[in-house]
Amino acid sequence: MNPDSLIPKRVPFGDSFGERQRNMMEKIGLYDPANEHDACGVGFVARLDGQSNHEVVALGLRLVVNMTHRGAAGADADSGDGAGILIRIPDAFFRKFFGPDLPEPGRWGLGTIFLPLEEGASSRSRELVENQAEALGWRVAGWREVPIEPSALGKMAAETRPGIWQFAVASPARPGEDQEGLERRLYVLRKSLESKAIALGLSQDSFYLPSLSCRTVVYKGMMMASQVARFYPDLVNEELDSPLAVVHQRYSTNTFPSWRLSQPFRGLAHNGEINTIKGNRAWLAAREPNLSSPLFGEDIKRLFPLIEPDSSDSASLDNGLEFLRRGGRSLEHALTMLIPQAWGQKYPMSLNLRGFFEYHAGLMEPWDGPAAVVVSDGLSVAAALDRNGLRPARYSLTDDGLLVFASESGALELPSDRIIDKGSLRPGQMILAEVGSGRLLKNAEVKSVLARQRPYRRWVSENRIDIPGFFTMPTRFTKSLDDLPFRQTLFGYNRDDTEILLTPMASNGAEPNGSMGADIPLAALDQEPQSLFSFFRQQFAQITNPPIDPIREELVMSLMTFIGYDPNILSEEPRQARLVKLAHPFLSNDDLARLRDLKYEDFHSVTIDAVFPKPEKGESTGAALSAALNKLEREAEEAAQGGTHIIIVSDKKAGQSGQAGRAGQKGQTGRDSGGGRNDGEGGEGKADGRFYLPIPSLLAVAAVNRKLVEIGKRVSIGVVCQAGDALEVSHMAMLLSLGASAINPWLAFETVADLAGRGHLAAVMSCTTAVENYVLALRKGLLKIMSKMGISTLRGYRGAQIFEAVGLGPDLMEKYFPGIPSRIGGLGLSHIEAGAVKRAEKAHGYLPAGDDPGPKILPEGGTYRFRKGGQSHLWTAESVTTLRQAAIAGDYGTYKRYAAMINDQSQKAFTLRGQLDFKPGPPIPIEEVEPVSEIVKRFCTGAMSFGSLSKEAHETMALAMNKLGARSNCGE
């Protein structure tokens, strides 16, 4: 294919390289490139005395070559996932190319840029750089096409290769501006260039700046480590010198490599994955309207968006690090904010250091996931491990001041008699090499300095908002609630929920045990309405290995969170420590009452009703629910603009007749099972006689969250969900993942208290003890769910949106759940509304009438066990019995009868695969079809562990595969 034919005609710029790569990475069918991650080899070489020589560059190249096994290659085996090197700019080397009239060393900027190969497009792109630079007060002093050796590349890398250029920029010196100020202005210039290119329709694959700095320059590409020096002749030139070199060999997991995603980035090289990345990006974007700094002034608007579009998790982390570094923080300070160590109450550390981490925990959520990170600003170089320490990190220091850090020991051979210090980083630790000062700072020294640079401990202790009696179990419960069965049915409860889920949780303080898998219909296919929670599935960590154990790793796991974040992460002031600290996100009814009654003016709360009027019979078009959501968003916006810092989204008014509206902090009171106030129950104004249904809490929180983001108020406002439909651990996880700050599962509390009061629990216990056990089970279950995603802290999990939907339509998802995939489309607001109406009609049969208290026994449910008249199951007593008869008797006829039960049209009501059918087409001649004996040789049984299958099943499958000539794998 002629590369020129790929040039976009809609803009005056070409895109001859990267187009084929981008076509491969488009969102097609069920594939979305946004879900990709990578794992790699990382390291650095540095001279502590700051002596700049070519030997450091050569050692860096040898180091990355020795980590080739940590990278990956493409189908042609010569196209690597990416490799590169970051060094300090050798002024004398580049002055030869850009002329002697450059400013003094360190007072001019060097940029590296990937451009199209086609000359016309490349020329227009360079003109863009010059014009934009001139508009910001810079002068492009010259261009240099970087010498390369294309024959060093593999086929795929060569086909997608960009044109690689370097350019020098200079600017008149500003009074009092130091090198940090110059770097800051170069950062603004680079972000402006990126924004201008995007505005002109250029993708990052056709206009990308690997570096633009007065200190560092990056050489990288889509190649194997051994190809870097061959492809870039500069790197083997003896005149190219540096006192430090950061290197990286990429292993991209289930992703397509590209030139721009090779590492190092502008200041960071990363091994691992950031599991909270969606939330990190979203929270940083939500902060943008409120960011300010005298260091940037009005130029700060040129930096948005802070995270480059379509960037990887590593590139996004680099964007965050660069912003904090240019915003005035030191390299180690910025890194510690992004990837903090564990600092819980049981973790041994000084009070000053604990104050430092608590202060910054209230400023920014952690970028959580397995990570070994190397960062450099050209002056210093640092390395750090995540709080779990799930990536290797080793270092060695020689007697002449050569420091080597790498993903493994022995990555660079050093004479053993010259090594004076060596070690490995432990979980949450870091080292910092101050290149030029001769100092290597270990973890304790680095963090001791950070902890004492401000009185963080005092700021936290003086500004923390303590709520008396918070997180003590409620002391009062109603003795009985006559309409409890009515409320339970209205919110979708059944006997499975009370007997199989809530009873063990309240009795034992732990979730009940159950088998893997589910054979009930998918929520989108079920004839009976399922909870909105049932449409969502949590994703799992791609490369977190080994997984986090929330029991053994108790020290690094945390459910602590805050309400009241300050969105401006560029400032450091005592008021930013003014937060409500929650030990965990589950609020009892008493806790919620205390939160409502806070007397602090800056923590005023407002309750908004998440209910909608029941449509007339046969009118479930979604209009009533849509109008209620719009009203909910409007009231949330009014509260936020009015200075409210806590918005309580409550569905307690559901099932009552009255005017749904906002209730202020001093609103109406009502009965509450925790003895607290219930401001959301009763509304304002006269009753209008309409019956109100609950908006699904997940949808209500999503709507409020989206509106607050839209108006730039999300970060500073806590969203507390008072939810009647949330009772399982997974329900709580979904609400938190969508941004809820805390949850009050009021109806679950009422149900648990009722079970205890009627003596239905495993042991005789008080209502208070039962609710306490239930909350304990929620906490333990939430830690387990977080650990499956490789996330250690609730602050990182909250808002991370690590779920996907199955069976919800694009209109619903784009409006209320943006960023969450729903690959097959599906249902909308009208179906959700119809489900609420159907539950309400069923609930009316449970209302007390006169002296008749109404029925007390809830519907069977049948989700977790087959019950006649309950939920449909694919595996029934009949189907399982038939399968056993076929297996025991070896009767193929009986097996075919079993197969018909599973494979016939009834399966369409259960699974997605049941929706598939063969398209009619012309028959294939039988002689063109492989015989069965050959086809089965390609069969295999996947790696299923001994914990999931019995010994007999494993042996039977192994024997069968051996007889067929196929393959089996036990998974152990």
Side-chain angles (χ1 to χ4, degrees):
M1 181 181 292
N2 184 355
D4 294 341
S5 66
L6 298 175
I7 300 175
K9 300 299 189 290
R10 58 190 175 86
V11 293
F13 292 84
D15 192 5
S16 57
F17 97 91
E19 188 70 24
R20 176 177 171 183
Q21 183 85 8
R22 194 162 51 258
N23 288 342
M24 294 167 63
M25 296 180 65
E26 288 179 352
K27 183 177 180 180
I28 300 174
L30 300 182
Y31 173 76
D32 189 341
N35 298 325
E36 306 299 357
H37 306 271
D38 58 86
C40 335
V42 64
F44 71 79
V45 178
R47 291 205 59 86
L48 295 184
D49 59 9
Q51 181 182 345
S52 187
N53 55 45
H54 183 70
E55 181 191 17
V56 171
V57 180
L59 288 173
L61 293 171
R62 188 186 306 169
L63 176 64
V64 72
V65 168
N66 289 344
M67 292 191 293
T68 298
H69 60 285
R70 288 190 168 271
D76 59 23
D78 290 323
S79 292
D81 283 3
I85 184 170
L86 175 151
I87 61 173
R88 184 183 289 181
I89 295 173
D91 185 89
F93 178 84
F94 286 105
R95 198 172 287 270
K96 293 188 307 180
F97 305 109
F98 297 115
D101 61 337
L102 286 175
E104 63 186 63
R107 299 301 307 171
W108 59 278
L110 175 65
T112 300
I113 188 169
F114 291 169
L115 296 175
L117 283 175
E118 193 271 320
E119 178 53 36
S122 177
S123 176
R124 289 189 290 272
S125 294
R126 295 197 301 274
E127 185 179 348
L128 181 157
V129 173
E130 293 174 358
N131 293 339
Q132 190 68 13
E134 183 179 353
L136 293 179
W138 293 89
R139 170 180 62 89
V140 176
W143 287 91
R144 176 195 185 223
E145 188 168 12
V146 178
I148 59 171
E149 182 49 63
S151 64
L153 299 176
K155 181 181 178 182
M156 182 178 176
E159 289 176 348
T160 59
R161 176 178 68 84
I164 305 172
W165 292 76
Q166 290 170 336
F167 61 96
V169 291
S171 175
R174 294 186 176 182
E177 183 181 59
D178 56 9
Q179 200 176 66
E180 287 291 343
L182 186 66
E183 279 285 79
R184 191 172 297 113
R185 287 201 292 132
L186 286 167
Y187 172 50
V188 173
L189 172 60
R190 198 200 83 233
K191 295 293 289 186
S192 299
L193 289 171
E194 292 170 349
S195 298
K196 187 67 174 178
I198 291 172
L200 291 171
L202 293 176
S203 70
Q204 288 190 88
D205 286 321
S206 61
F207 189 99
Y208 178 78
L209 288 94
S211 59
L212 178 55
S213 169
C214 65
R215 292 174 178 159
T216 60
V217 61
V218 171
Y219 288 84
K220 69 176 186 178
M222 199 176 84
M223 59 190 87
M224 300 298 293
S226 60
Q227 298 169 325
V228 176
R230 288 191 288 135
F231 181 73
Y232 288 114
D234 279 359
L235 296 176
V236 295
N237 191 318
E238 294 287 340
E239 297 181 12
L240 188 87
D241 56 23
S242 174
L244 59 88
V246 174
V247 296
H248 189 273
Q249 167 69 76
R250 188 173 186 228
Y251 187 111
S252 51
T253 306
N254 300 323
T255 186
F256 293 109
S258 70
W259 281 79
R260 68 179 177 88
L261 292 182
S262 303
Q263 298 184 39
F265 292 108
R266 284 93 187 197
L268 173 143
H270 170 226
N271 170 27
E273 65 177 332
I274 305 299
N275 297 323
T276 58
I277 189 63
K278 290 178 69 175
N280 296 135
R281 290 169 178 155
W283 285 119
L284 200 53
R287 289 182 170 95
E288 289 178 0
N290 300 286
L291 293 172
S292 64
S293 170
L295 297 176
F296 288 115
E298 290 300 311
D299 280 342
I300 197 168
K301 296 177 183 177
R302 300 180 183 274
L303 306 179
F304 306 146
L306 295 173
I307 303 296
E308 296 168 5
D310 303 321
S311 59
S312 65
D313 55 346
S314 302
S316 300
L317 179 62
D318 180 76
N319 291 159
L321 176 77
E322 186 180 31
F323 177 65
L324 292 174
R325 179 71 181 90
R326 299 291 168 254
R329 285 183 169 82
S330 66
L331 188 67
E332 62 273 24
H333 191 174
L335 183 58
T336 307
M337 282 183 65
L338 293 166
I339 309 178
Q341 72 171 77
W343 56 275
Q345 291 301 316
K346 295 182 180 179
Y347 206 93
M349 62 171 51
S350 71
L351 295 177
N352 284 335
L353 188 56
R354 193 183 308 280
F356 169 85
F357 281 112
E358 182 165 350
Y359 173 83
H360 288 91
L363 201 60
M364 170 170 266
E365 63 287 337
W367 295 54
D368 201 359
V373 179
V374 172
V375 296
S376 179
D377 57 5
L379 299 178
S380 302
V381 60
L385 272 190
D386 67 283
R387 65 196 290 131
N388 286 284
L390 296 179
R391 288 294 177 269
R394 313 290 200 276
Y395 65 90
S396 298
L397 176 65
T398 64
D399 54 8
D400 62 346
L402 182 69
L403 179 65
V404 177
F405 172 90
S407 293
E408 57 199 71
S409 298
L412 198 60
E413 294 182 11
L414 299 171
S416 58
D417 59 341
R418 302 289 301 275
I419 297 176
I420 60 174
D421 188 11
K422 64 180 179 180
S424 61
L425 296 184
R426 302 305 181 192
Q429 290 188 347
M430 69 185 305
I431 56 172
L432 173 68
E434 295 181 342
V435 179
S437 72
R439 301 181 65 200
L440 171 61
L441 281 67
K442 303 291 183 65
N443 182 69
E445 186 176 359
V446 172
K447 291 174 180 174
S448 177
V449 172
L450 289 174
R452 294 177 182 275
Q453 65 186 7
R454 295 282 191 277
Y456 300 114
R457 175 185 170 189
R458 178 164 57 82
W459 288 357
V460 168
S461 64
E462 290 179 353
N463 289 279
R464 182 195 299 120
I465 296 177
D466 292 316
I467 304 176
F470 219 48
F471 290 115
T472 57
M473 283 299 109
T475 56
R476 289 170 291 172
F477 286 96
T478 50
K479 293 182 179 179
S480 63
L481 192 60
D482 292 339
D483 63 349
L484 180 59
F486 160 73
R487 288 175 178 252
Q488 290 171 328
T489 311
L490 181 66
F491 282 94
Y493 281 53
N494 55 53
R495 278 156 57 196
D496 271 5
D497 296 324
T498 58
E499 295 175 8
I500 296 180
L501 291 180
L502 294 182
T503 295
M505 294 171 77
S507 299
N508 308 317
E511 287 184 279
N513 294 324
S515 61
M516 296 191 300
D519 66 334
I520 65 171
L522 281 175
L525 305 178
D526 201 350
Q527 297 301 309
E528 291 296 318
Q530 293 189 29
S531 164
L532 185 60
F533 292 114
S534 301
F535 288 84
F536 290 83
R537 302 286 188 273
Q538 179 171 297
Q539 297 168 321
F540 61 92
Q542 294 291 311
I543 55 172
T544 300
N545 187 26
I548 300 170
D549 184 333
I551 299 174
R552 294 181 180 178
E553 304 294 337
E554 181 185 4
L555 280 180
V556 299
M557 302 286 289
S558 172
L559 292 180
M560 188 275 290
T561 189
F562 296 102
I563 294 177
Y565 287 88
D566 188 301
N568 189 15
I569 57 176
L570 292 180
S571 64
E572 280 195 323
E573 301 176 21
R575 63 176 178 80
Q576 291 174 303
R578 188 166 178 76
L579 303 164
V580 174
K581 182 179 178 181
L582 307 180
H584 59 76
F586 305 115
L587 303 181
S588 71
N589 300 326
D590 279 349
D591 290 335
L592 187 62
R594 293 186 183 98
L595 199 62
R596 279 194 173 111
D597 287 337
L598 283 178
K599 305 301 180 184
Y600 303 104
E601 185 176 342
D602 50 347
F603 277 89
H604 169 75
S605 69
V606 163
T607 299
I608 54 178
D609 292 321
V611 296
F612 66 99
K614 181 182 177 183
E616 297 298 327
K617 191 172 184 179
E619 292 185 2
S620 291
T621 62
L625 179 55
S626 179
L629 287 167
N630 292 336
K631 185 171 183 287
L632 190 73
E633 292 180 6
R634 188 169 59 252
E635 292 178 348
E637 180 177 3
E638 291 172 0
Q641 301 290 14
T644 295
H645 277 75
I646 302 174
I647 294 178
I648 302 170
V649 182
S650 173
D651 58 18
K652 285 202 75 172
K653 187 176 177 179
Q656 299 183 13
S657 297
Q659 178 64 40
R662 191 175 76 205
Q665 188 180 21
K666 300 298 183 181
Q668 297 75 21
T669 61
R671 180 185 53 189
D672 193 296
S673 64
R677 301 241 310 273
N678 177 16
D679 296 325
E681 191 176 350
E684 298 174 349
K686 296 180 180 179
D688 60 7
R690 304 189 71 179
F691 184 83
Y692 286 96
L693 308 180
I695 298 174
S697 59
L698 197 64
L699 183 57
V701 167
V704 171
N705 188 75
R706 187 190 64 85
K707 174 56 68 174
L708 295 178
V709 169
E710 182 182 302
I711 64 175
K713 295 284 188 179
R714 180 62 191 95
V715 179
S716 58
I717 294 178
V719 177
V720 177
C721 181
Q722 189 176 25
D725 59 349
L727 68 146
E728 297 184 39
V729 175
S730 61
H731 298 170
M732 312 301 171
M734 291 180 213
L735 289 169
L736 294 165
S737 182
L738 280 174
S741 304
I743 306 166
N744 168 237
W746 65 273
L747 188 54
F749 287 157
E750 291 275 11
T751 303
V752 167
D754 181 70
L755 290 170
R758 292 191 286 129
H760 285 193
L761 300 183
V764 178
M765 61 179 64
S766 67
C767 298
T768 299
T769 302
V771 172
E772 187 174 16
N773 284 344
Y774 173 64
V775 171
L776 177 61
L778 292 179
R779 291 163 55 191
K780 290 160 63 175
L782 182 58
L783 288 171
K784 179 191 68 177
I785 286 180
M786 287 164 46
S787 69
K788 290 180 180 178
M789 189 58 196
I791 296 175
S792 302
T793 71
L794 179 62
R795 299 186 304 284
Y797 188 87
R798 190 174 71 89
Q801 296 187 347
I802 44 86
F803 285 80
E804 62 178 335
V806 179
L808 294 178
D811 293 341
L812 176 70
M813 298 302 297
E814 289 170 11
K815 183 171 184 180
Y816 298 107
F817 304 97
I820 295 180
S822 181
R823 295 176 174 85
I824 62 169
L827 312 181
L829 287 181
S830 60
H831 296 86
I832 297 174
E833 182 183 285
V837 170
K838 194 168 184 177
R839 283 189 291 270
E841 291 171 350
K842 187 182 296 184
H844 277 295
Y846 287 84
L847 280 173
D851 294 334
D852 179 11
K856 292 294 184 182
I857 300 177
L858 293 176
E860 177 64 48
T863 300
Y864 302 103
R865 56 188 175 188
F866 179 81
R867 288 293 181 268
K868 189 174 181 179
Q871 178 64 270
S872 300
H873 284 260
L874 194 59
W875 297 96
T876 63
E878 183 183 6
S879 63
V880 172
T881 300
T882 306
L883 175 60
R884 284 181 56 82
Q885 289 173 347
I888 293 171
D891 185 349
Y892 186 61
T894 306
Y895 170 78
K896 296 210 51 157
R897 189 154 51 86
Y898 155 77
M901 295 179 189
I902 303 300
N903 295 332
D904 68 10
Q905 296 301 311
S906 65
Q907 187 182 1
K908 290 182 179 290
F910 289 88
T911 63
L912 290 179
R913 65 179 179 273
Q915 305 298 299
L916 303 178
D917 207 345
F918 290 103
K919 290 183 178 179
I924 299 173
I926 192 65
E927 59 271 12
E928 296 182 15
V929 180
E930 281 187 287
V932 172
S933 59
E934 293 300 314
I935 294 175
V936 296
K937 290 179 181 179
R938 294 197 294 274
F939 284 14
C940 63
T941 59
M944 293 174 282
S945 69
F946 190 67
S948 65
L949 294 180
S950 68
K951 174 178 179 289
E952 294 81 4
H954 269 297
E955 292 176 349
T956 301
M957 292 171 70
L959 286 169
M961 292 297 106
N962 290 341
K963 288 181 178 180
L964 293 173
R967 297 169 184 247
S968 63
N969 183 352
C970 72
E972 296 300 330

